[in-house]
Amino acid sequence: MVSWRERILKEFIPGLARILLVSDPDGLILDEDIIETIQTRGFELIEYNDSVTFRYEFESSYRDRWDKGEQAELIVVVKDDTNSLQQLPYDILDISRKINFSLNDIFPDLSYSVVSTIDHIYFDSLFDAYKQYAPGSLGVNATKDFILRHVFEFAPEMIKDDTDLLRVLLRRHYKGQKLPDKLKRRCINLLNNKNVFDQWPLENIIADRDTFFTFLQERWQLYVDLKLGLADEMVEEHQVEYSMAVEGLKELPFDHHDIRVYIDNLFTEGYLNPVDHEKADAIDDAWYKVGIIAGPLSSREKRLNRLIERLQQFLPGNNAKYHEWLEFARIWAELIVLKNDQQVTLGSKVDNTIVELHHIVDCQFSDWLTKRYASLVNLPPTSPVMLHHVPRYLSRKIEVNDRIKVAMILIDGLSLDQWLIMEDEIKLKNRSNVVKEYTIFAWVPTLTSVSRQAAFSGKPPHLF
């Protein structure tokens, strides 16, 4: 197989049956590309969650059309094993063809308990490595190591010192890679066995992207002070001044050339915030100036130009995955914040460039929505992608730990660029706060009767 999707798509041949019943406990059919392909073949897809909801959808959307002689082929997805298909109503079973998919069909030599924990967006990388290296039958730990090495680029034998570890963490978190708990524990164990990273807060910064960036932000102030001679070599003398929400190693090797390239991008894109310094105006063109507030002209306007270049370079296309647009949206919001900064003076050339870029972004996103938006509805809510996923996502947080308390606060009409300003204020008010940020898609149109109700009900609009 050229792609793991071929195993799925070969089963969907138009004209074989009015209804295809699919047992899909791993949610393989809910992949964006698969949904788009089966829709182009004329199939329509619904999930079976409970008998009442299913009967409503089936009778209102399909039975009438069939009675009128319309051609409509339906895929009913059951997120459980094959035996669960027998729970469907008899009139559905009687006219349907049954199919089942599993990760065991695609990765038969890897441990199912491990593969089933990783996000679907990593299946392409895993399948390519699986074909190329043909690892044979692997146990649980060997499967973890294979995935860590070939999907997340984590090779423990190559991590020998603080610079190596920081580079690996920067690469993974900058890409936004999500590490499941089983792989997180394996990473921590392999690193602890080296006995050289005892001062690192591995438990907090390996899996959690936002905690890692908080860890970097707090160390950056100390780094700048050391560079400009305002801190002694012994950090221990400044425990009060450099108290940190994320405990652990104080000094990081920001100077290393492999690290500097990431730091520059993190400040440009707003993942890290420049710090104030009394000697800021005296700094020459040192590389670390990107992380220091050095006046409106030398700092903000240069960052504005870098953001424009980055957005032009990484504008997602029609075939982009949904997470590419979500990542792009956050960087775009950073540009809007900077554009509206009263201290930044935009020349006519820069202003025109932003206007032109805005038009291009709107056109690209509109085309992408037309092609891909419908496939987002059925994506699994493991990591929320649309508003109706939020209640189920929060519910699972409580199921994992019933001692925690969760509150959902909806601030209506707040744009993403406005949120970034609010987020900075939240962090400034209490530096012990660690803000974990997710971006998701609203329902179209984004009205209270549609989008907001989806957020509170946990249902698509047609099921309100």
Side-chain angles (χ1 to χ4, degrees):
M1 293 186 291
V2 176
S3 166
W4 64 270
R5 295 176 182 85
E6 289 184 20
R7 165 68 181 85
I8 312 296
L9 292 172
K10 70 178 183 179
E11 301 288 349
F12 297 102
I13 303 172
L16 294 183
R18 272 188 169 181
I19 299 178
L20 295 178
L21 296 183
V22 178
S23 169
D24 186 20
D26 302 309
L28 298 175
I29 195 177
L30 302 181
D31 172 78
E32 287 177 86
D33 292 326
I34 289 178
I35 291 176
E36 181 185 347
T37 302
I38 61 179
Q39 286 174 340
T40 59
R41 294 180 183 179
F43 292 97
E44 299 179 43
L45 183 147
I46 61 173
E47 293 182 46
Y48 181 88
N49 293 310
D50 63 82
S51 59
V52 175
T53 302
F54 173 77
R55 180 60 70 180
Y56 168 76
E57 287 193 84
F58 176 72
E59 297 294 338
S60 61
S61 300
Y62 298 98
R63 178 83 73 181
D64 288 344
R65 292 164 61 185
W66 289 344
D67 291 343
K68 294 175 183 177
E70 294 183 25
Q71 294 296 319
E73 294 186 88
L74 178 63
I75 298 172
V76 179
V77 180
V78 179
K79 294 180 180 178
D80 214 332
D81 57 32
T82 307
N83 294 330
S84 298
L85 293 179
Q86 303 307 316
Q87 300 175 10
L88 272 72
Y90 176 77
D91 61 320
I92 303 297
L93 292 170
D94 189 46
I95 60 172
S96 63
R97 173 172 167 254
K98 301 170 185 63
I99 309 171
N100 65 84
F101 302 122
S102 169
L103 282 170
N104 282 329
D105 301 327
I106 300 171
F107 305 107
D109 292 329
L110 302 184
S111 169
Y112 175 84
S113 66
V114 178
V115 177
S116 61
T117 64
I118 68 173
D119 197 293
H120 289 198
I121 62 176
Y122 304 121
F123 285 173
D124 288 335
S125 298
L126 180 58
F127 187 78
D128 290 343
Y130 186 77
K131 283 195 308 177
Q132 181 177 353
Y133 297 104
S137 182
L138 301 180
V140 172
N141 282 339
T143 298
K144 292 177 183 177
D145 294 343
F146 185 83
I147 294 174
L148 286 171
R149 181 180 301 274
H150 298 292
V151 176
F152 297 100
E153 301 175 87
F154 178 87
E157 70 276 8
M158 301 299 291
I159 305 175
K160 300 175 182 178
D161 54 30
D162 291 341
T163 300
D164 293 335
L165 178 56
L166 183 57
R167 180 175 57 247
V168 169
L169 292 174
L170 279 167
R171 180 177 62 238
R172 193 173 67 77
H173 286 305
Y174 181 66
K175 291 181 177 180
Q177 293 178 333
K178 301 172 185 176
L179 205 63
D181 286 341
K182 287 186 177 182
L183 296 185
K184 167 193 166 184
R185 296 302 330 160
R186 182 63 175 170
C187 282
I188 293 173
N189 290 338
L190 291 172
L191 292 172
N192 283 337
N193 289 340
K194 291 179 173 288
N195 297 317
V196 293
F197 302 115
D198 297 340
Q199 295 185 52
W200 285 75
L202 300 176
E203 188 77 30
N204 296 321
I205 64 176
I206 282 184
D208 196 304
R209 187 189 198 196
D210 300 286
T211 302
F212 174 70
F213 288 147
T214 300
F215 173 74
L216 290 186
Q217 182 73 59
E218 293 180 332
R219 273 74 186 164
W220 182 255
Q221 181 70 64
L222 172 60
Y223 170 80
V224 171
D225 285 349
L226 287 169
K227 273 291 184 182
L228 299 179
L230 292 187
D232 296 332
E233 292 183 3
M234 296 302 292
V235 179
E236 287 77 5
E237 297 178 12
H238 297 270
Q239 289 294 331
V240 176
E241 183 179 355
Y242 298 110
S243 60
M244 297 174 178
V246 184
E247 296 296 332
L249 186 70
K250 294 293 191 296
E251 295 185 58
L252 297 179
F254 290 116
D255 271 327
H256 195 279
H257 59 86
D258 286 343
I259 307 301
R260 284 164 51 174
V261 63
Y262 287 103
I263 299 301
D264 184 83
N265 287 341
L266 291 175
F267 278 110
T268 297
E269 297 172 24
Y271 294 105
L272 297 179
N273 295 320
V275 298
D276 203 356
H277 202 282
E278 62 185 56
K279 293 186 179 181
D281 294 335
I283 302 174
D284 55 14
D285 289 330
W287 78 270
Y288 54 87
K289 192 173 182 178
V290 67
I292 301 174
I293 300 173
L297 180 61
S298 58
S299 177
R300 292 177 176 86
E301 294 187 6
K302 286 184 178 179
R303 181 177 169 229
L304 183 70
N305 288 321
R306 286 199 297 268
L307 275 172
I308 292 172
E309 292 174 4
R310 188 138 186 86
L311 288 165
Q312 290 172 329
Q313 184 178 0
F314 292 100
L315 176 61
N318 285 354
N319 294 318
K321 303 293 186 182
Y322 72 85
H323 62 86
E324 295 178 48
W325 273 109
L326 295 179
E327 292 166 6
F328 182 88
R330 194 195 186 283
I331 304 174
W332 178 260
E334 291 284 353
L335 176 68
I336 300 303
V337 171
L338 208 52
K339 172 181 176 292
N340 293 330
D341 191 328
Q342 296 298 313
Q343 299 184 64
V344 176
T345 303
L346 295 179
S348 58
K349 182 178 180 181
V350 174
D351 194 31
N352 290 337
T353 299
I354 294 175
V355 171
E356 292 172 5
L357 181 58
H358 197 166
H359 176 70
I360 295 171
V361 170
D362 281 349
C363 291
Q364 288 277 84
F365 188 52
S366 178
D367 291 343
W368 182 86
L369 284 177
T370 302
K371 184 178 182 181
R372 292 274 192 166
Y373 186 76
S375 66
L376 302 179
V377 180
N378 295 306
L379 291 176
T382 311
S383 294
V385 180
M386 295 194 71
L387 275 173
H388 68 292
H389 292 158
V390 172
R392 280 182 286 174
Y393 173 75
L394 296 179
S395 176
R396 284 176 178 160
K397 288 282 188 183
I398 299 172
E399 289 171 3
V400 173
N401 182 0
D402 59 7
R403 292 178 296 176
I404 67 170
K405 294 184 177 181
V406 173
M408 176 175 162
I409 303 171
L410 191 151
I411 305 176
D412 203 353
L414 186 75
S415 64
L416 186 52
D417 54 283
Q418 292 168 335
W419 156 249
L420 295 181
I421 297 170
M422 182 183 291
E423 180 186 26
D424 288 342
E425 291 300 316
I426 292 172
K427 291 177 179 177
L428 285 173
K429 291 293 184 184
N430 187 347
R431 294 189 179 277
S432 65
N433 288 331
V434 176
V435 179
K436 300 180 181 181
E437 182 181 291
Y438 302 87
T439 312
I440 61 176
F441 288 91
W443 270 92
V444 178
T446 57
L447 304 172
T448 299
S449 58
V450 179
S451 241
R452 313 317 186 264
Q453 194 170 342
F456 286 111
S457 69
K459 298 177 181 179
H462 70 280
L463 294 180
F464 289 168

